């Protein structure tokens, strides 16, 4: 059984209140190394058998049509997850 | 300027209603290749300068203490994003 990961992030020009909230929580914990935080979504799509090019194409279509809102979000990654992840 | 990605997924034994909803929406679009969908979160942490081991350690701590709820979620990835992504 393979898995495909799809990563969706808010477009750079879109405000990201969740990311901002996380970014302001970190210094309160003494973590001051990060200049900005953006929060996005990721999806793990399970498939029977190995991940083929055809399945990746399906995943890309799903990413554009269902998993992301193209007005405010970018699909930044669609790729097969290594098998060790799939065994989890 | 570098960036670190943190990926957080619901634990395998935890129900994931968002993922389930997405999974049932896909066949309505004719995409029937996927046996299951899980939805998680990802965070892009920006840093000044290149990503060092020390910054990755900070990111791991942020991931465990702020970005994830360890009762129901696993931190599945903490790593530097390639520079091309950082240039975005």
């Amino acid at each position: 059984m393979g898995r495909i990961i799809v990563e969706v992030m808010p477009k750079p020009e879109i405000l990201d209140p969740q990311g901002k909230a996380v970014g302001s929580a970190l210094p309160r914990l003494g973590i001051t190394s990060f200049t900005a935080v953006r929060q996005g979504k990721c999806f793990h799509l399970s498939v029977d058998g190995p991940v083929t090019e055809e399945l990746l194409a399906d995943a890309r279509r799903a990413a554009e049509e269902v998993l992301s809102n193209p007005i405010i979000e970018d699909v930044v990654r669609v790729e097969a997850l290594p098998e060790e992840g799939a065994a989890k």
Side-chain angles (χ1 to χ4, degrees), chain A:
Chain A
M1 196 190 85
R3 284 191 308 174
I4 296 171
I5 182 166
V6 173
E7 200 184 310
V8 174
M9 294 299 289
K11 285 182 191 288
E13 66 272 25
I14 297 286
L15 282 178
D16 170 19
Q18 291 185 102
K20 275 251 184 301
V22 171
S24 12
L26 291 178
R28 272 180 261 138
L29 275 132
I31 302 174
T32 53
S33 339
F34 304 114
T35 55
V37 178
R38 308 276 294 169
Q39 179 172 348
K41 296 179 286 185
C42 57
F43 300 89
H44 289 188
L45 310 174
S46 300
V47 298
D48 280 332
V51 174
T52 60
E53 265 312 311
E54 198 179 13
L55 289 170
L56 280 171
D58 275 356
R60 267 179 226 112
R61 194 156 75 83
E64 298 293 342
E65 293 181 14
V66 188
L67 308 180
S68 71
N69 175 349
I71 311 287
I72 57 166
E73 292 169 327
D74 285 326
V75 176
V76 297
R77 192 161 72 114
V78 178
E79 62 190 38
L81 276 178
E83 274 304 313
E84 46 165 3
K88 242 180 155 180

